[in-house]
Structure formats: structure tokens, C-alpha cells
Amino acid sequence: MPTELQAELAEAVESRRNFAIISHPDAGKTTLTEKLLLYGGAIHEAGAVKARRAQRHATSDWMEMEQQRGISITSTVLQFAYQSCQINLLDTPGHQDFSEDTYRTLAAADNAVMLVDAAKGLEPQTRKLFEVCQLRSLPIFTFINKLDRPGREPLELLDEIEQELGLQTYAVNWPIGMGGRFQGVFDRRSRQIHLFERSHHGQRAALDTRIDLDDPQIETLLEQDLYFQLKDELELIEELGSQLDLEHVHAGRMTPLFFGSAMTNFGVELFLQAFLDYALKPGAYQSNLGAIPPTHEDFTGFVFKLQANMDPKHRDRVAFVRVCSGKFAKDMTVSHTRTGKTIRLSRPQKLFAQGRQSLEEAYPGDIIGLNNPGVFAIGDTIFQGQKLAYEGIPCFSPELFAYLKNPNPSKFKQFQKGVSELREEGAVQIMYSADEIKRDPILAAVGQLQFEVVQFRLQNEYGVETRLEMLPYAVARWVLEGWAALEAVGRIFNAITVKDSWGRPVLLFKNEWNLQQLREDHPKLELSAIAPLVAQTQ
């Protein structure tokens, strides 16, 4: 017989949906996010990223640099209600230079929405992020966007996803026309045609006329060639296409597919409705004690992201925590697995991009913001009851390296604080020379834009101007058995030794050839492209 708390948790889990949006830059991810919020009633008018003239910016892009460039470079969390569900939407950076931030965010997601530009099809960054989703066996929902512009044939796009990603596809809706002739979609769930009227720049919910496929009125509402084309294509996909199998969807082997236009709101609400029915609800998370179900009575959670200075007025630091089990309550006391400390969670926040409000309680699948006075690190577990640790979140091999110089000694304290806080939140990896004389931190990044963001934020948030001195290295490998293994090898050629922010040895190479040479010279030296996870238990 379940307890009263278990029944409360089961009911909360049933109503929660949690997902991250992944895409190549410019596929329309931030616009889709805005329109989902519009339909969820979280905002009343959508401000597309490119609507510069009104100086209106997308809700999910809160950093000044994002608003200047019209791209997402940080992950944000947006929580809103739709129908009877609580939705946690994790908006991720599309830019490849921030793929690590995306990976960390996907660790907290139960589902992924893959956004594809109808004209371009699958693009390099989409493929990379798809692979990350596959590593976690996440259910993937595909939204083919920008149908209001000229694009590729829908059947061709389905074939590309099946051939290149090895995913079965099931088209939940089907487009009627494309570009200037895009009239709406046929919803295979209700067997109805949805004809849309364009609203001004899609700022408000689109008007939707519904009509049955065989209704005689359709001839007056739809051009004849589009009607016959729709009937032919539907016959084809229903005869030759896969049947919807939710077990395959939840295992990440089949993707439900939706067509629409986020900019004009065509098909967005239909996607949201189907997603609530098909998506995976919050499930068990793996720990050192085995899988912990969401209805486990003790509260547990893990930190997947840290962010400094979301509120420039207060210079705060926020830890993003995924609630994994139990019920979270304001002012509760929890244990911190890595340090063994006891922490009172007195200022929890419900997150909505930069905006936040006080939070009294939260349930599995929810994302909460906690004030972080330097206590939390990415991958940390917090818990009540029996001690446990969730699987950590690894760091990947950076490809660009540069000394970060502070030319103004009077700003030493601000410089140190800024570097420390940006390192904690994972904006960039920080390494140091093994030579104690060289004190300047080494920025280690996946892409050049990470360097620009760090310098911009140091200047904007900490008042520190910096300069970079690039290093001629492109490959990093962690020495798995630590300093003793490195000393046993003796002198190493064509590489330099640095230490990461946990003091562990890392070898930097100019190219893969030099790395291969070292492997041949010292076959017993174990190297890894992924940083060893920091021990969560003591």
C-alpha cells in the first residue's frame, strides 16, 4: 500500500514533462521556445530574436551578448503550465562552441526535441547533438521548422533522418504546401486538417480552422492541387511508413515527427499537445546504490549547471538542480555528498530564464535554482536519508588553449574572482602550467566563441579587461593514473604538462600525430580524452 507521500509523488510525476531543445544554429530554436511559452500562457506576446526594431528580445536569451548577436550561448530553464501539465523546458546553446553546456543540460532532461530547418535538413551540429542524446538513450521528437519558406520535400527529409541517423520516423502531422503556399497541416491523430491564418510575425497564437479531410467545404478552402497532393502523400506514408510505437520512441529508436513554422506559429500547439501524450515522464536515475525511482520518498537531486550573475544587480550565483526523487520543500536541510556538509536550502527559486520567483516546493522532473555561495560544483549530488551519489557529468577534451592575462594589477582580486566563478559554472575549462612560476590561468575551450564570452563577461560583470596569449596546442589528454604515472615515464617530448582545476595532470599536444607518437613510445601510460569524474563520495 503506497504511503500518502508516495501517492502525492506519483501524481506529480504523472503531470510533469521535461525536455531540452537541440538544433544547429539558426534553425529557429529560440523562436520555437518563445512560441511554446506563448501557447503555455507564460508570455502573452512573443519577441523573436531578430525583432530588433522594437528592441524586444527573446525571453530565453538573457545575457547581453546573446541579445546583441541574436544567438543562444547559455542554457536556460523555462517552467510553465500547459493544460494539466507542468513543463520544464531546457533551452540549450545551438552554437557548437558550447556543446559541453548542452551535454550537461541533456543530463537533466527526460526528452529531447530536435529542431530541423526544412530547407537545410540535418546539419553538422544537429548530428553531433543527436549522438549525445543517443548516449543517454533519450526519446527524440523532431520538429521540422520554417515550412513558411521554400524547403526540401517532406518525404526527402524523412528519408534523410532514417538513413543518416538510423531512426525510424513516424509523421504525426503532414504539411499542406510549402513556402508562400504553406496552408497548414493534416493532424493524423485527429484525422483533421488544420488551416492557419498568419498573425503579425507570429507574435500571438495563430488562428486555426479545423476541417475533416473529406468535408466538401475543403474545395473552397484549399487549392485543388494541394488537396490532391496531400491525399497522395498521406496514402504513401500510411501504406509504407512505420506505425507509431511508443516503446521504440521512449528507447530513442523512433522519432515522432512534426511539421510547422515557429515564426508564424503554424503547427506549434499541435506539437505541444502530442508531445504531452507521447513524452517520457520523469524516471529513475542511476546512482551508486542503483536506480532511484522518482517516487522514492527521500529527496535527492543533482547539480547540472552553475551560472554566475544572471541578475547583474545582485552579482549572484545560481546552481541549477534537477529534482530526481522525493519532494523538495523550502528551508529543508540536505546533505552534500562530495563534501559531507549539511546545507539548508533557504532561498530556492523557480527559474524562468533570467526572471525568478520564490519557490515553496518541487517534485521529480522539476528544475530548481539554489543560491550557490561557492558550495556546489557541476555533477554534485544532494540528498536526504541514505547517502548516495548520482553519476557525474564529464568534461571533454578542449581544442583551443590560451593564457588569460590581466594587464591591470590593481584588478587582481576581481580577476581572480571572475576566473574562479566562470570556471565553477563551466563556461570554460581552466588549467594551469605545471611550472609554478607561470601563474596565469590557461583557458581551454571547444571553440573560439567561448574565449570571447569569457572576456566579455569578465569586462561586463567584473570590470576586468583581459588579453589572450594563444598557445599552439589542439589536443588534451588526462593522465588517468595521476602524477606518479607521469613521473615513472620520465621526460616527454612534443607535449607540455599542465594541471586542471582539480590539480590533475593533463598533457597538451600540437596535433594527433604527436599524441600517437607518445602512445607508441609509452604504451602503458593511460590517457583519456574525457576528464576523470571527481569523486562524489568521501
Side-chain angles (χ1 to χ4, degrees), residues 21 23 26-39 43 46-51 58-61 70 72 89 91 115 143 145-146 148-149 201-203 261-265 268:
I21 302 182
S23 76
D26 282 337
K29 179 172 58 60
T30 302
T31 307
L32 177 62
T33 301
E34 288 280 306
K35 301 312 168 69
L36 292 170
L37 298 178
L38 179 69
Y39 280 105
I43 56 176
V49 174
K50 291 177 182 172
T59 304
S60 56
D61 288 337
S72 297
L89 191 164
D91 184 27
L115 191 62
F143 188 91
N145 193 26
K146 302 187 181 181
D148 57 316
R149 303 179 188 180
H201 291 301
Q203 287 172 357
S261 161
M263 183 59 75
T264 57
N265 292 335
V268 174

Short mmCIF file of all heavy atoms in Angstrom, two decimals, residues 21 23 26-39 43 46-51 58-61 70 72 89 91 115 143 145-146 148-149 201-203 261-265 268:
data_model
loop_
_atom_site.label_atom_id
_atom_site.label_comp_id
_atom_site.label_asym_id
_atom_site.label_seq_id
_atom_site.Cartn_x
_atom_site.Cartn_y
_atom_site.Cartn_z
N ILE A 21 15.73 21.34 -26.00
CA ILE A 21 15.67 21.54 -27.45
C ILE A 21 17.09 21.58 -28.00
O ILE A 21 17.94 22.30 -27.48
CB ILE A 21 14.95 22.85 -27.82
CG1 ILE A 21 13.53 22.87 -27.24
CG2 ILE A 21 14.88 23.02 -29.33
CD1 ILE A 21 12.73 24.11 -27.59
N SER A 23 19.53 21.83 -31.65
CA SER A 23 19.49 22.17 -33.08
C SER A 23 20.82 22.78 -33.50
O SER A 23 21.64 23.16 -32.68
CB SER A 23 18.37 23.16 -33.38
OG SER A 23 18.74 24.46 -32.96
N ASP A 26 20.63 28.81 -35.94
CA ASP A 26 19.74 29.41 -36.96
C ASP A 26 18.62 28.48 -37.44
O ASP A 26 17.95 28.80 -38.41
CB ASP A 26 20.53 29.91 -38.19
CG ASP A 26 21.20 31.23 -37.91
OD1 ASP A 26 20.74 31.94 -37.00
OD2 ASP A 26 22.19 31.54 -38.58
N ALA A 27 18.40 27.36 -36.76
CA ALA A 27 17.28 26.50 -37.16
C ALA A 27 15.97 27.04 -36.60
O ALA A 27 14.90 26.56 -36.96
CB ALA A 27 17.51 25.07 -36.70
N GLY A 28 16.06 28.02 -35.68
CA GLY A 28 14.85 28.63 -35.13
C GLY A 28 14.53 28.16 -33.72
O GLY A 28 13.39 28.26 -33.27
N LYS A 29 15.55 27.68 -32.99
CA LYS A 29 15.32 27.10 -31.67
C LYS A 29 14.75 28.09 -30.67
O LYS A 29 13.80 27.80 -29.95
CB LYS A 29 16.64 26.51 -31.15
CG LYS A 29 16.55 25.89 -29.77
CD LYS A 29 17.82 25.18 -29.42
CE LYS A 29 19.00 26.09 -29.47
NZ LYS A 29 18.91 27.24 -28.55
N THR A 30 15.36 29.28 -30.61
CA THR A 30 14.89 30.27 -29.64
C THR A 30 13.48 30.73 -30.01
O THR A 30 12.64 30.96 -29.13
CB THR A 30 15.86 31.47 -29.58
OG1 THR A 30 17.16 30.97 -29.21
CG2 THR A 30 15.43 32.48 -28.55
N THR A 31 13.19 30.83 -31.30
CA THR A 31 11.83 31.22 -31.74
C THR A 31 10.82 30.15 -31.33
O THR A 31 9.74 30.47 -30.82
CB THR A 31 11.81 31.42 -33.27
OG1 THR A 31 12.84 32.33 -33.63
CG2 THR A 31 10.48 31.98 -33.72
N LEU A 32 11.15 28.87 -31.53
CA LEU A 32 10.24 27.80 -31.11
C LEU A 32 10.01 27.84 -29.61
O LEU A 32 8.88 27.69 -29.14
CB LEU A 32 10.81 26.43 -31.52
CG LEU A 32 9.97 25.22 -31.07
CD1 LEU A 32 8.58 25.25 -31.70
CD2 LEU A 32 10.68 23.91 -31.38
N THR A 33 11.08 28.09 -28.85
CA THR A 33 10.95 28.19 -27.39
C THR A 33 9.95 29.27 -27.02
O THR A 33 9.06 29.07 -26.19
CB THR A 33 12.32 28.51 -26.76
OG1 THR A 33 13.24 27.47 -27.10
CG2 THR A 33 12.23 28.61 -25.25
N GLU A 34 10.10 30.43 -27.66
CA GLU A 34 9.18 31.55 -27.38
C GLU A 34 7.73 31.16 -27.67
O GLU A 34 6.81 31.48 -26.90
CB GLU A 34 9.53 32.74 -28.28
CG GLU A 34 10.82 33.43 -27.91
CD GLU A 34 10.62 34.38 -26.73
OE1 GLU A 34 9.74 35.24 -26.81
OE2 GLU A 34 11.34 34.24 -25.75
N LYS A 35 7.50 30.44 -28.78
CA LYS A 35 6.13 30.12 -29.17
C LYS A 35 5.52 29.06 -28.24
O LYS A 35 4.32 29.06 -28.00
CB LYS A 35 6.09 29.67 -30.63
CG LYS A 35 6.61 30.72 -31.61
CD LYS A 35 5.99 32.10 -31.34
CE LYS A 35 6.69 33.21 -32.09
NZ LYS A 35 6.51 33.19 -33.52
N LEU A 36 6.35 28.14 -27.73
CA LEU A 36 5.84 27.18 -26.76
C LEU A 36 5.41 27.91 -25.49
O LEU A 36 4.39 27.58 -24.88
CB LEU A 36 6.92 26.13 -26.45
CG LEU A 36 7.25 25.17 -27.61
CD1 LEU A 36 8.49 24.36 -27.28
CD2 LEU A 36 6.07 24.26 -27.91
N LEU A 37 6.18 28.92 -25.09
CA LEU A 37 5.81 29.72 -23.92
C LEU A 37 4.53 30.50 -24.19
O LEU A 37 3.70 30.68 -23.30
CB LEU A 37 6.94 30.70 -23.57
CG LEU A 37 8.30 30.10 -23.20
CD1 LEU A 37 9.30 31.22 -22.94
CD2 LEU A 37 8.17 29.22 -21.97
N LEU A 38 4.38 30.96 -25.41
CA LEU A 38 3.18 31.71 -25.79
C LEU A 38 1.94 30.84 -25.63
O LEU A 38 0.94 31.25 -25.04
CB LEU A 38 3.33 32.17 -27.25
CG LEU A 38 2.18 32.96 -27.87
CD1 LEU A 38 2.07 34.33 -27.24
CD2 LEU A 38 2.40 33.10 -29.38
N TYR A 39 2.02 29.59 -26.13
CA TYR A 39 0.87 28.69 -26.01
C TYR A 39 0.67 28.22 -24.58
O TYR A 39 -0.44 27.91 -24.17
CB TYR A 39 1.02 27.50 -26.96
CG TYR A 39 0.64 27.85 -28.37
CD1 TYR A 39 1.61 28.05 -29.35
CD2 TYR A 39 -0.69 28.04 -28.72
CE1 TYR A 39 1.25 28.41 -30.64
CE2 TYR A 39 -1.06 28.41 -30.01
CZ TYR A 39 -0.09 28.58 -30.96
OH TYR A 39 -0.44 28.95 -32.24
N ILE A 43 3.94 33.73 -21.58
CA ILE A 43 4.12 35.08 -22.10
C ILE A 43 2.91 35.37 -22.99
O ILE A 43 2.27 34.45 -23.50
CB ILE A 43 5.43 35.25 -22.91
CG1 ILE A 43 5.53 34.23 -24.06
CG2 ILE A 43 6.65 35.16 -22.01
CD1 ILE A 43 6.74 34.41 -24.94
N ALA A 46 5.09 37.08 -28.25
CA ALA A 46 6.43 36.55 -28.47
C ALA A 46 7.33 37.60 -29.08
O ALA A 46 6.94 38.30 -30.00
CB ALA A 46 6.35 35.33 -29.40
N GLY A 47 8.56 37.71 -28.55
CA GLY A 47 9.53 38.66 -29.09
C GLY A 47 10.64 37.90 -29.78
O GLY A 47 11.56 37.44 -29.13
N ALA A 48 10.54 37.71 -31.07
CA ALA A 48 11.55 36.95 -31.80
C ALA A 48 12.90 37.63 -31.67
O ALA A 48 13.01 38.83 -31.53
CB ALA A 48 11.16 36.84 -33.27
N VAL A 49 13.96 36.81 -31.72
CA VAL A 49 15.31 37.32 -31.53
C VAL A 49 15.64 38.44 -32.51
O VAL A 49 16.32 39.40 -32.19
CB VAL A 49 16.33 36.17 -31.68
CG1 VAL A 49 17.75 36.70 -31.65
CG2 VAL A 49 16.14 35.17 -30.56
N LYS A 50 15.11 38.32 -33.73
CA LYS A 50 15.50 39.29 -34.76
C LYS A 50 14.63 40.55 -34.76
O LYS A 50 14.84 41.42 -35.59
CB LYS A 50 15.46 38.61 -36.13
CG LYS A 50 16.57 37.56 -36.26
CD LYS A 50 16.49 36.83 -37.58
CE LYS A 50 17.57 35.74 -37.65
NZ LYS A 50 17.44 34.88 -38.80
N ALA A 51 13.66 40.63 -33.82
CA ALA A 51 12.79 41.82 -33.80
C ALA A 51 13.52 42.98 -33.14
O ALA A 51 13.20 43.42 -32.06
CB ALA A 51 11.50 41.51 -33.07
N ALA A 58 14.21 37.82 -27.13
CA ALA A 58 13.62 36.56 -26.71
C ALA A 58 13.80 36.37 -25.21
O ALA A 58 14.83 36.66 -24.65
CB ALA A 58 14.30 35.40 -27.46
N THR A 59 12.76 35.82 -24.59
CA THR A 59 12.78 35.62 -23.15
C THR A 59 13.94 34.73 -22.74
O THR A 59 14.57 34.94 -21.72
CB THR A 59 11.46 34.94 -22.70
OG1 THR A 59 10.39 35.76 -23.14
CG2 THR A 59 11.40 34.76 -21.20
N SER A 60 14.23 33.69 -23.54
CA SER A 60 15.22 32.71 -23.13
C SER A 60 16.65 33.20 -23.30
O SER A 60 17.57 32.64 -22.72
CB SER A 60 15.03 31.41 -23.92
OG SER A 60 15.09 31.67 -25.30
N ASP A 61 16.89 34.23 -24.10
CA ASP A 61 18.24 34.77 -24.27
C ASP A 61 18.40 35.98 -23.35
O ASP A 61 18.04 37.09 -23.70
CB ASP A 61 18.48 35.19 -25.73
CG ASP A 61 18.63 33.99 -26.65
OD1 ASP A 61 18.98 32.92 -26.13
OD2 ASP A 61 18.39 34.12 -27.85
N GLY A 70 22.03 37.80 -31.27
CA GLY A 70 20.88 37.03 -31.72
C GLY A 70 21.12 35.54 -31.74
O GLY A 70 20.59 34.81 -32.56
N SER A 72 21.87 31.91 -28.98
CA SER A 72 21.87 31.39 -27.62
C SER A 72 23.26 30.86 -27.30
O SER A 72 23.78 30.01 -28.02
CB SER A 72 20.86 30.25 -27.47
OG SER A 72 19.56 30.73 -27.71
N LEU A 89 11.22 23.28 -19.60
CA LEU A 89 11.85 23.38 -20.92
C LEU A 89 13.29 23.86 -20.73
O LEU A 89 13.52 24.93 -20.17
CB LEU A 89 11.06 24.36 -21.79
CG LEU A 89 11.37 24.45 -23.28
CD1 LEU A 89 10.23 25.15 -24.00
CD2 LEU A 89 12.66 25.21 -23.56
N ASP A 91 16.35 25.18 -22.54
CA ASP A 91 16.82 25.75 -23.81
C ASP A 91 18.34 25.67 -23.83
O ASP A 91 19.00 26.12 -22.90
CB ASP A 91 16.35 27.21 -23.90
CG ASP A 91 16.70 27.84 -25.24
OD1 ASP A 91 16.81 27.10 -26.23
OD2 ASP A 91 16.87 29.07 -25.29
N LEU A 115 15.29 20.11 -33.56
CA LEU A 115 14.72 21.08 -34.49
C LEU A 115 15.51 21.06 -35.79
O LEU A 115 16.74 21.16 -35.77
CB LEU A 115 14.78 22.47 -33.84
CG LEU A 115 14.01 23.59 -34.52
CD1 LEU A 115 12.53 23.30 -34.53
CD2 LEU A 115 14.27 24.90 -33.79
N PHE A 143 10.97 18.34 -34.83
CA PHE A 143 10.11 19.40 -35.35
C PHE A 143 10.80 19.99 -36.58
O PHE A 143 11.89 20.57 -36.46
CB PHE A 143 9.89 20.49 -34.29
CG PHE A 143 8.86 21.53 -34.68
CD1 PHE A 143 7.52 21.36 -34.34
CD2 PHE A 143 9.22 22.67 -35.39
CE1 PHE A 143 6.57 22.31 -34.70
CE2 PHE A 143 8.28 23.62 -35.75
CZ PHE A 143 6.94 23.44 -35.40
N ASN A 145 11.08 22.71 -39.10
CA ASN A 145 10.69 24.11 -38.98
C ASN A 145 10.83 24.87 -40.31
O ASN A 145 11.43 24.38 -41.26
CB ASN A 145 11.59 24.75 -37.91
CG ASN A 145 11.10 26.11 -37.46
OD1 ASN A 145 9.91 26.41 -37.54
ND2 ASN A 145 12.01 26.94 -37.00
N LYS A 146 10.27 26.06 -40.33
CA LYS A 146 10.38 27.01 -41.45
C LYS A 146 9.66 26.53 -42.70
O LYS A 146 10.13 26.74 -43.82
CB LYS A 146 11.86 27.35 -41.75
CG LYS A 146 12.61 27.92 -40.55
CD LYS A 146 14.00 28.40 -40.92
CE LYS A 146 14.74 28.95 -39.72
NZ LYS A 146 16.07 29.44 -40.02
N ASP A 148 7.14 27.82 -43.79
CA ASP A 148 6.61 29.02 -44.46
C ASP A 148 7.62 29.58 -45.47
O ASP A 148 7.34 30.56 -46.13
CB ASP A 148 6.26 30.10 -43.43
CG ASP A 148 7.45 30.47 -42.57
OD1 ASP A 148 8.18 29.56 -42.13
OD2 ASP A 148 7.69 31.67 -42.34
N ARG A 149 8.79 28.92 -45.58
CA ARG A 149 9.80 29.31 -46.58
C ARG A 149 10.03 28.14 -47.53
O ARG A 149 9.74 27.00 -47.18
CB ARG A 149 11.12 29.66 -45.89
CG ARG A 149 10.99 30.77 -44.85
CD ARG A 149 12.33 31.03 -44.21
NE ARG A 149 12.23 31.96 -43.09
CZ ARG A 149 13.27 32.35 -42.36
NH1 ARG A 149 14.48 31.88 -42.62
NH2 ARG A 149 13.11 33.19 -41.35
N HIS A 201 3.94 38.54 -37.64
CA HIS A 201 5.22 37.99 -37.16
C HIS A 201 5.04 36.88 -36.13
O HIS A 201 5.93 36.60 -35.36
CB HIS A 201 6.10 39.09 -36.55
CG HIS A 201 6.62 40.06 -37.57
ND1 HIS A 201 7.39 39.67 -38.64
CD2 HIS A 201 6.46 41.40 -37.67
CE1 HIS A 201 7.69 40.73 -39.37
NE2 HIS A 201 7.13 41.79 -38.80
N GLY A 202 3.84 36.27 -36.11
CA GLY A 202 3.62 35.17 -35.17
C GLY A 202 3.69 35.59 -33.72
O GLY A 202 4.01 34.80 -32.84
N GLN A 203 3.37 36.86 -33.44
CA GLN A 203 3.50 37.34 -32.06
C GLN A 203 2.39 36.81 -31.16
O GLN A 203 2.54 36.77 -29.95
CB GLN A 203 3.52 38.87 -32.02
CG GLN A 203 4.84 39.44 -32.54
CD GLN A 203 4.78 40.95 -32.69
OE1 GLN A 203 3.75 41.55 -32.46
NE2 GLN A 203 5.88 41.54 -33.06
N SER A 261 5.89 25.91 -38.59
CA SER A 261 6.69 27.13 -38.68
C SER A 261 6.60 27.85 -37.35
O SER A 261 5.54 28.37 -36.99
CB SER A 261 6.16 28.04 -39.80
OG SER A 261 6.62 29.36 -39.62
N ALA A 262 7.69 27.85 -36.62
CA ALA A 262 7.70 28.52 -35.31
C ALA A 262 7.47 30.02 -35.47
O ALA A 262 6.79 30.64 -34.66
CB ALA A 262 9.02 28.25 -34.59
N MET A 263 8.03 30.61 -36.53
CA MET A 263 7.92 32.07 -36.72
C MET A 263 6.46 32.50 -36.86
O MET A 263 6.04 33.52 -36.33
CB MET A 263 8.74 32.50 -37.93
CG MET A 263 8.75 34.00 -38.17
SD MET A 263 9.42 34.94 -36.78
CE MET A 263 11.18 34.61 -36.97
N THR A 264 5.66 31.69 -37.58
CA THR A 264 4.26 32.07 -37.80
C THR A 264 3.29 31.28 -36.93
O THR A 264 2.07 31.43 -37.07
CB THR A 264 3.88 31.87 -39.28
OG1 THR A 264 4.12 30.51 -39.63
CG2 THR A 264 4.70 32.77 -40.19
N ASN A 265 3.83 30.41 -36.05
CA ASN A 265 3.02 29.60 -35.12
C ASN A 265 2.28 28.44 -35.78
O ASN A 265 1.45 27.80 -35.13
CB ASN A 265 1.97 30.44 -34.37
CG ASN A 265 2.61 31.40 -33.41
OD1 ASN A 265 3.71 31.16 -32.95
ND2 ASN A 265 1.95 32.50 -33.12
N VAL A 268 2.67 24.65 -33.99
CA VAL A 268 3.37 24.63 -32.70
C VAL A 268 2.48 24.03 -31.61
O VAL A 268 2.93 23.17 -30.83
CB VAL A 268 3.85 26.05 -32.30
CG1 VAL A 268 4.45 26.04 -30.91
CG2 VAL A 268 4.87 26.56 -33.32
#
